[in-house]
Amino acid sequence: MINLENKKIGVLCGGTSSEREISLMSGKAVYDAVKKLGFKVALIDVDKNIVEKLKKEKIDVAYIVLHGTPGEDGTIQGLLELMDIPYTGCGVFSSSASIDKIISKKMFKCANIPTPKWTVIERSEPFKKISFPAVVKPASQGSAIGISIVKNEKELEKAVELAFSYKDRVFVEEYIKGMEVTAGVLNGVPLPVIEIVPKGKFYDFKSKYTVGQSKHIIPARLPEKILRQIQRIAVKVYEEFRCNGTCRVDMIVDKNNKIYVLELNTSPGMTKTSLFPDAAKHIGMSFESLVFEILKSAK
């Protein structure tokens, strides 16, 4: 843990990914919290001039609130390490491994972490035989961007075309009907499990970031034994991916209470509709206290 006394904090947000606007919202919320905590702070919009901006601001610690490339894939983490600037959140390895959903799937399998069956689709290959319904995802996008649930071949073709518009690798995942839940981990300790009840068909971009489009039930309406199991799995994912500070693990629980891990998010959203702050609030942690705990994880 670094000494934060008299340190200037740079809140890194924005970026160039499709999640830019969400990152800006998260960044402003964190900036305001850091200011309330009494630190010197700068809000830094990450772009191609980021090196010059970091030099100009002369920050001592970077608080990363970036989603997608370049902030959630290990790129900004590597840059900060080269510049010898401590930063919050996960490092190069966990960031790059988690943002690639195919790599994540392989790691889940190797670590015996339960996850839905999947297959990879390449542009140059003919479609493989798919069982319906299925979920089609770009290999590396967050906030449910480019994701479709498909019921037949015609829908599959459209969904794959959409996913390829975001990434040149796509994967199709077995559709598991059940309760959508998420479990955050803060400095190695699991937060309460949240049940997500979206107004739409699934927890898509609109459900995530539009007030009133989804309901967060804390704790999830599951037996205590299952809630503890979900938390144990979340901590195992945190440890297997060598996370630091924060992560959020999204899962599905089927009608038989079997748990499936969908993906790992190493840079959870920090907006007023975000899941991670909601879970912390449930255990009596204010937004400012949460931000401070994350700040203390910087290294």
Side-chain angles (χ1 to χ4, degrees):
M1 185 185 298
I2 63 169
N3 182 4
L4 293 170
E5 190 175 354
N6 298 320
K7 295 290 193 291
K8 182 178 180 181
I9 313 300
V11 178
L12 274 55
C13 60
T16 56
S17 79
S18 52
E19 298 172 82
R20 171 178 169 78
E21 294 306 315
I22 305 307
S23 175
L24 289 170
M25 289 166 60
S26 290
K28 181 61 169 61
V30 169
Y31 170 83
D32 290 342
V34 173
K35 205 168 186 179
K36 282 183 183 178
L37 288 166
F39 290 98
K40 292 179 287 183
V41 60
L43 188 66
I44 303 172
D45 189 347
V46 175
D47 57 21
K48 64 181 180 180
N49 300 312
I50 185 58
V51 173
E52 288 74 16
K53 288 182 179 182
L54 290 171
K55 288 178 179 178
K56 180 183 176 183
E57 291 292 349
K58 297 179 180 178
I59 65 170
D60 299 298
V61 180
Y63 191 120
I64 300 175
V65 202
L66 288 157
H67 308 311
T69 304
E72 206 171 355
D73 64 353
T75 303
I76 199 74
Q77 290 81 5
L79 172 63
L80 291 167
E81 289 186 14
L82 286 171
M83 296 183 72
D84 199 26
I85 299 173
Y87 59 88
T88 62
C90 296
V92 174
F93 169 75
S94 47
S95 299
S96 58
S98 65
I99 202 166
D100 189 316
K101 293 181 174 69
I102 296 170
I103 295 297
S104 294
K105 282 285 195 179
K106 291 177 179 179
M107 286 186 65
F108 294 154
K109 186 177 179 181
C110 287
N112 292 316
I113 294 167
T115 190
K117 297 174 184 175
W118 85 97
T119 187
V120 180
I121 294 180
E122 305 279 0
R123 280 189 185 275
S124 57
E125 294 179 353
F127 279 3
K128 299 168 184 175
K129 189 173 180 180
I130 303 295
S131 296
F132 297 103
V135 185
V136 179
K137 301 180 180 182
S140 57
Q141 283 290 323
S143 293
I145 292 171
I147 293 179
S148 307
I149 297 175
V150 299
K151 298 175 183 176
N152 53 52
E153 289 286 345
K154 188 175 181 181
E155 290 182 355
L156 176 65
E157 289 181 18
K158 288 182 180 179
V160 169
E161 186 179 342
L162 172 65
F164 272 136
S165 70
Y166 292 100
K167 199 68 182 174
D168 58 3
R169 296 184 82 204
V170 168
F171 79 103
V172 180
E173 185 178 66
E174 173 190 16
Y175 174 75
I176 305 293
K177 186 176 181 180
M179 180 190 293
E180 295 186 57
V181 299
T182 191
V185 180
L186 176 61
N187 295 328
V189 178
L191 294 176
V193 178
I194 300 180
E195 175 186 347
I196 303 162
V197 185
K199 278 195 171 181
K201 290 181 179 179
F202 69 104
Y203 195 49
D204 59 7
F205 187 89
K206 183 179 179 182
S207 299
K208 284 174 184 277
Y209 300 114
T210 306
V211 176
Q213 289 299 310
S214 66
K215 188 176 179 182
H216 300 170
I217 299 173
I218 312 172
R221 295 170 294 183
L222 291 165
E224 187 64 34
K225 179 182 176 182
I226 303 302
L227 292 175
R228 289 197 299 270
Q229 189 178 350
I230 289 168
Q231 289 179 314
R232 284 195 297 270
I233 290 172
V235 171
K236 183 174 183 180
V237 171
Y238 179 94
E239 292 172 348
E240 290 289 343
F241 279 76
R242 292 164 52 196
C243 294
N244 176 66
T246 61
C247 82
R248 201 191 73 235
V249 185
D250 297 336
M251 310 181 207
I252 287 279
V253 183
D254 72 12
K255 63 182 180 181
N256 298 315
N257 285 336
K258 186 173 180 182
I259 303 161
Y260 297 85
V261 173
L262 300 179
E263 59 186 68
L264 164 64
N265 184 322
T266 55
S267 184
M270 295 290 281
T271 72
K272 60 184 175 183
T273 61
S274 294
L275 294 155
F276 203 86
D278 257 10
K281 183 180 178 181
H282 188 76
I283 57 171
M285 186 176 287
S286 68
F287 189 81
E288 288 77 20
S289 297
L290 173 61
V291 167
F292 186 54
E293 285 301 312
I294 294 170
L295 256 181
K296 290 193 294 184
S297 74
K299 63 180 185 179

